[in-house]
Amino acid sequence: MQDSGATPTDAHQGARRHLRPGGWAAVLVPVVATAALILSAPMPVRAVRDITFDSYQRLSPRPYDPTPPVRIVDIDDDSLARLGQWPWPRARLAAIVDRLQAAGAAAVAFDILLSEPERTGGPEAPGDERLAEAVASAPVVMSLTLTNAPGETPLAPKAGFATAGDDPLNFVPRFPGVIPSLPLFTKPAAGLGALNWVPDRDLVVRRVPTLMALGDALVPSLASEALRVAQGASTILVRASNASGETAFGRQTGIAAVRIGDATIATEADGALRIHYAGTRPERRLAAWRLLDGSADTAALSGAIVLVGTSAAALADVRATPLEAAVPGVDIHAEFIEHVLSGARLMRPDYAPGIEVAALLTFSALAAALALRVRPLVSALGFLGLAATVAAASWLAFSRWAMLIDPVWPLAGTAASFATAIAIALRRTEAERRWIRQAFARYLSPEVVAALAREPGRLALGGEIRPITVLFADIRGFTSRAERLDAREVVTFLNTVHTPLTDEVMRHGGTIDKFLGDGLMAFWNAPLDVPDHVAKALKAALAMQAAIGRLAPTLAQEGLPPLAVGIGIHTGPACVGNLGSRHRFDYSAVGDTVNAAARIEQTSKVYGEPILVSGEVVAAAPAFTFVLVDEVRLRGRGEATRLYALVSGPDGKDAGFDDFRRQHDAAIAAAINGRTSAQELLEEVSRSPAGARHARLYAYHRTRLAENEPVPEG
C-alpha cells in the first residue's frame, strides 16, 4: 500500500487535530475583519447593533413608575377641538402657567418654541405681556432651538456650568446658530433649554443630549434644565475624562457624568443619555382643556415637573423611539426625566467594543476547535450552544446590569470563522476519505471501505495493539507449476487463483494484508472492529477451499496433482498499523500471532490438511467442527502448540461425526503421547468412512511413531 500524496497521519490528523498555517490564516481572516468592524463601527454595524438593542427594549421596557413627579399638559386634538385651533392666545398659555403655579408645580417647561409675537398685536401685545407676567411669577423653563445656520442672536444662559477634566465642548453636539423664544419670555424665565434631538440615521431617538453647545457656550437640553429648575440648582457639573477619579491615561475619551442638583446622570462620551423607555402612558398626561376648565384633578401636579407640549396630529411634533414608531416629542422629554429620577440606567460603556472583540476571539477559537475535532452535526449543535451563550450573556448584561453589549457582530464573526473551519475540515475529510478509498479499496470489501470513508476516526493509523485473527494461504505445488509456464502465464495463473481467494476474504469482512508470491496474508478485526472475527475467518477459509475446488478443473495440468491451497489460522493480540517509511508504507500486522499463523500454514503441508488452526481458534469458535492434528513446537514459541483441522462450519457436521471425532482424537492423542496403542488406534480410525479424508495425517503419525521421531517443529 503506497503513499498517495500524504501520509495517513497527515490525512487524519490534519482534518481533525490541527490546521496548517494556511488553514489558520483562512480561519483568522473573518475574525480579524469582524474585529476591525466592531472597533471602527461603520454605519451598517451601528445600524444592526441599534436594531438589536431596540429589540431588547421591546422585550423588556422600563417598568412605568408613577412615583417620579413628571406630568404632561397635553395640547391634544380634543383640546384644539374645544378651545380653538393653534396657535392659542398667549393669555390662554398664561392661564395654564397660573393654574400649574397654583397646583404647586416644581417646574413648568414649555416644549413649544415661542419665537414670534402674538399675531393679534405688536411686539408687546397684551397677550405676550400677560404670558411674560405668568412666566416671571412661576418656575418656568422656556425653549430654544439650536440650528446649523450661523447667527449672532445674543443668548443669556440661565444655568451656570462647572467642569472637571477635559473641556466638554470637545465632545457635545455643537451648533453655530439659535432660534430662541422671545426675549420677553426668556428674560423672566427661570430656565432656558434646547429642544433639539440628535436622532440616529434611521431617525429613531435612542439617546437624548443632556448638553449641547452654541458656539463656545454650553446649553442644557430642555429636560436637563427642567431638572435643574425643579431642584432650585444654579449650576450643572460636568465630569469628563481625566477628571479626578476618571482614568483615561491622558486620552480625551469624553464626558462621563453630568450632575444636576441631586441627580447624577451617567452619560455616554458625547454627554447623551441613552433612555430606557417605558412607552407612552396615559397616566402621565393631563388634557389642557381639563386643566383650563377646572375639571382636572391637579393633586398629582404638586411638586411635579410639568411639561407643556402637544400630541395633536396637526402640529406634527412626532418622533420615533425604540418602542414606538410615532411618539409626541414631549413624551421623550418626560421619559428622559423619569429615567433620571427613577434611578434607571442604560449604558453602552466605552469598553463595550473591547468586550465584544474578546468574545469574538474566544468563541471563534472554540467554534473552530469544534469544527476541527468533532463531527459536523455535533459541531453544529456545539456552535448553536455557543451562539446561545453569547446571546444569553448579552441579554443578561442588559437585563441585569443595564449594559448594552452587542452579540450580533461577535456571533457573525464566530459564524464566519466556524463556517471556514467547517469547509476546511470537510475538504480535509474528503481528501482523507479519498485517500482511504484509494489506499484500501484493493484490500478491503467495499462495505468496509465505505464505513472507513464515512468515519475515518475509526481508523487507528498510528498503530495499536488489538486482538485479530490472521489467515495465511499458500498454493500447493506452485514451484512445479511455475517451471512449466513462462512469466506472463505465471502472472495470469496467480491472478486467476488469488482473485476468488481475495473475494472470499473481503466478502467475509477481512483485510488483505499482502500477497506473498503464491500466497496471501489476511486478517480480521482491523482496521475496523469485526464482531465474531474468528468465526468470519473460518467461514472465509471454508469458502476459499470451495472456490479452489470450483477453479481446479479449469487449471488442471497433465502430470501435476489437482490445484490445492493450504490455509493456516491463528488468533491473538498483534500490533496493527502503518509500517514502513513516510514515503512508502503498508497497513499491516506484526507480532507473535502473525508469526504463529504463518508457521501453522507452513506446517499444514506436512499433514495434508487444507485448513489448519491453533487451539486458540478452536476455543474461540465452538460452533465449528474440528479434529485434533498434532502438537508441535512453532519456531519462536517456547511451548508446544496444539493444531486442529477445520472440518466444517456450524451447519456442516455429518451425522455420526461426534463418534468419529472421539475415535480420531483418541488415536491422535495416543500418537502425540507415543503410547503403544497408537498404531492400532490410527489403523482403526483410518478404515472409517470419515477417516478417508485424513489418510495423509494418519500415515504421517504412523511413520513418525515407527521411526520414533520427537515432537516436530513448525
Side-chain angles (χ1 to χ4, degrees):
M1 185 184 312
Q2 295 188 16
D3 191 0
S4 57
T7 68
T9 299
D10 291 338
H12 180 64
Q13 294 181 350
R16 292 294 177 189
R17 292 186 172 88
H18 67 271
L19 282 178
R20 295 168 183 167
W24 278 117
V27 170
L28 288 174
V29 164
V31 177
V32 173
T34 306
L37 289 174
I38 291 173
L39 295 175
S40 61
M43 188 276 291
V45 171
R46 295 197 305 272
V48 173
R49 184 180 291 160
D50 287 338
I51 291 171
T52 303
F53 297 155
D54 290 351
S55 68
Y56 285 0
Q57 291 220 40
R58 287 192 291 273
L59 288 170
S60 180
R62 175 174 56 83
Y64 176 69
D65 182 3
T67 302
V70 182
R71 296 294 183 267
I72 296 171
V73 172
D74 187 11
I75 303 172
D76 57 3
D77 288 311
D78 200 11
S79 296
L80 294 179
R82 290 172 179 270
L83 302 177
Q85 66 182 5
W86 189 261
W88 281 352
R90 299 289 164 84
R92 186 173 294 159
L93 297 179
I96 290 176
V97 174
D98 290 342
R99 289 188 178 274
L100 294 174
Q101 166 92 358
V108 178
F110 274 92
D111 184 28
I112 301 169
L113 183 64
L114 301 175
S115 60
E116 297 179 353
E118 190 171 30
R119 294 180 182 178
T120 58
E124 297 183 0
D128 286 341
E129 292 180 353
R130 171 76 180 86
L131 178 58
E133 291 174 0
V135 169
S137 64
V140 174
V141 178
M142 297 305 295
S143 60
L144 58 85
T145 297
L146 300 174
T147 71
N148 288 316
E152 298 182 358
T153 303
L155 183 68
K158 303 292 182 177
F161 290 93
T163 61
D166 296 321
D167 188 351
L169 288 171
N170 295 328
F171 312 115
V172 300
R174 188 183 295 234
F175 298 87
V178 61
I179 302 175
S181 292
L182 289 174
L184 184 67
F185 308 137
T186 59
K187 186 175 181 180
L192 190 58
L195 295 176
N196 297 69
W197 310 112
V198 184
D200 291 320
R201 190 179 184 88
D202 55 4
L203 302 181
V204 175
V205 180
R206 298 180 177 89
R207 306 181 316 126
V208 174
T210 57
L211 306 170
M212 285 163 276
L214 174 61
D216 293 330
L218 289 174
V219 177
S221 69
L222 183 70
S224 296
E225 189 72 338
L227 274 170
R228 183 188 68 80
V229 170
Q231 298 179 86
S234 61
T235 303
I236 296 175
L237 174 63
V238 184
R239 180 177 293 275
S241 51
N242 294 304
S244 176
E246 298 293 336
T247 303
F249 302 102
R251 296 182 298 116
Q252 293 191 353
T253 57
I255 297 173
V258 174
R259 184 176 179 84
I260 304 174
D262 293 332
T264 299
I265 306 171
T267 69
E268 297 189 0
D270 60 355
L273 171 68
R274 190 180 290 266
I275 299 177
H276 192 177
Y277 283 92
T280 55
R281 306 288 300 194
E283 298 95 319
R284 70 164 70 104
R285 315 184 84 82
L286 175 64
W289 70 270
R290 289 189 179 278
L291 178 67
L292 290 170
D293 73 4
S295 63
D297 180 6
T298 59
L301 300 179
S302 178
I305 299 174
V306 182
L307 299 161
V308 180
T310 178
S311 65
L315 300 184
D317 182 19
V318 177
R319 300 290 184 269
T321 71
L323 296 187
E324 298 160 289
V327 176
V330 68
D331 277 80
I332 298 178
H333 292 301
E335 294 260 23
F336 178 104
I337 299 170
E338 288 176 355
H339 179 107
V340 173
L341 294 181
S342 67
R345 187 174 184 274
L346 186 62
M347 287 287 293
R348 176 161 172 80
D350 53 8
Y351 53 81
I355 293 177
E356 291 158 8
V357 169
L360 168 67
L361 297 176
T362 300
F363 287 97
S364 293
L366 292 174
L370 281 172
L372 297 172
R373 291 181 178 273
V374 299
R375 298 176 182 176
L377 177 59
V378 177
S379 64
L381 293 175
F383 172 75
L384 291 177
L386 292 178
T389 301
V390 174
S394 175
W395 172 256
L396 185 65
F398 168 77
S399 60
R400 182 72 61 85
W401 299 293
M403 292 173 54
L404 296 174
I405 306 297
D406 179 23
V408 174
W409 289 102
L411 275 180
T414 299
S417 175
F418 177 74
T420 303
I422 280 285
I424 293 173
L426 289 176
R427 183 178 177 184
R428 295 284 178 86
T429 299
E430 182 54 35
E432 177 182 306
R433 289 173 177 172
R434 188 165 54 249
W435 177 86
I436 288 172
R437 286 192 291 267
Q438 292 173 352
F440 287 94
R442 298 181 183 180
Y443 305 92
L444 298 171
S445 67
E447 293 80 7
V448 175
V449 174
L452 281 175
R454 286 193 305 269
E455 300 182 73
R458 297 173 64 185
L459 180 60
L461 292 173
E464 60 177 335
I465 301 296
R466 62 187 298 160
I468 62 172
T469 300
V470 184
L471 179 151
F472 278 86
D474 183 73
I475 301 174
R476 298 290 182 251
F478 173 72
T479 303
S480 300
R481 286 180 178 273
E483 290 175 351
R484 301 189 179 190
L485 305 174
D486 59 29
R488 180 175 299 177
E489 290 172 331
V490 169
V491 172
T492 300
F493 171 77
L494 289 175
N495 291 342
T496 301
V497 175
H498 281 155
T499 297
L501 299 181
T502 301
D503 290 343
E504 294 301 337
V505 169
M506 296 171 68
R507 189 166 68 86
H508 289 84
T511 299
I512 298 294
D513 181 288
K514 59 177 67 73
F515 293 97
L516 306 164
D518 60 324
L520 65 84
M521 171 186 167
F523 52 80
W524 279 257
N525 206 40
L528 299 182
D529 293 335
V530 178
D532 301 324
H533 53 91
V534 176
K536 290 187 177 180
L538 294 173
K539 290 179 180 179
L542 291 170
M544 292 166 71
Q545 292 294 354
I548 291 298
R550 294 189 296 271
L551 183 64
T554 65
L555 296 177
Q557 284 185 277
E558 187 177 349
L560 290 177
L563 177 67
V565 170
I567 296 174
I569 302 175
H570 182 51
T571 188
C575 178
V576 184
N578 287 292
L579 306 176
S581 70
R582 177 179 175 84
H583 303 290
R584 182 180 177 87
F585 57 86
D586 288 321
Y587 185 76
S588 185
V590 294
D592 176 69
T593 298
V594 178
N595 296 336
R599 301 284 185 261
I600 291 170
E601 182 277 317
Q602 294 170 3
T603 306
S604 69
K605 302 175 185 178
V606 175
Y607 305 105
E609 294 294 337
I611 305 173
L612 206 58
V613 305
S614 65
E616 289 83 350
V617 171
V618 173
F624 287 76
T625 303
F626 305 93
V627 293
L628 182 62
V629 170
D630 203 351
E631 190 175 84
V632 301
R633 295 189 181 278
L634 299 178
R635 287 198 299 274
R637 288 192 145 198
E639 296 182 357
T641 300
R642 283 215 162 189
L643 301 180
Y644 295 81
L646 174 62
V647 177
S648 66
D651 302 325
K653 185 168 63 174
D654 296 333
F657 180 80
D658 289 339
D659 292 336
F660 163 74
R661 180 167 52 189
R662 282 192 293 270
Q663 183 183 13
H664 169 95
D665 288 355
I668 298 299
I672 293 172
N673 294 321
R675 293 199 292 268
T676 56
S677 61
Q679 287 284 11
E680 182 181 347
L681 292 173
L682 289 170
E683 181 66 28
E684 181 180 353
V685 73
S686 66
R687 292 195 296 269
S688 67
R693 63 184 297 180
H694 305 289
R696 185 171 172 183
L697 171 63
Y698 301 143
Y700 165 80
H701 278 294
R702 287 199 300 268
T703 301
R704 186 172 66 82
L705 288 168
E707 297 177 359
N708 198 26
E709 293 181 357
V711 174
E713 292 188 0

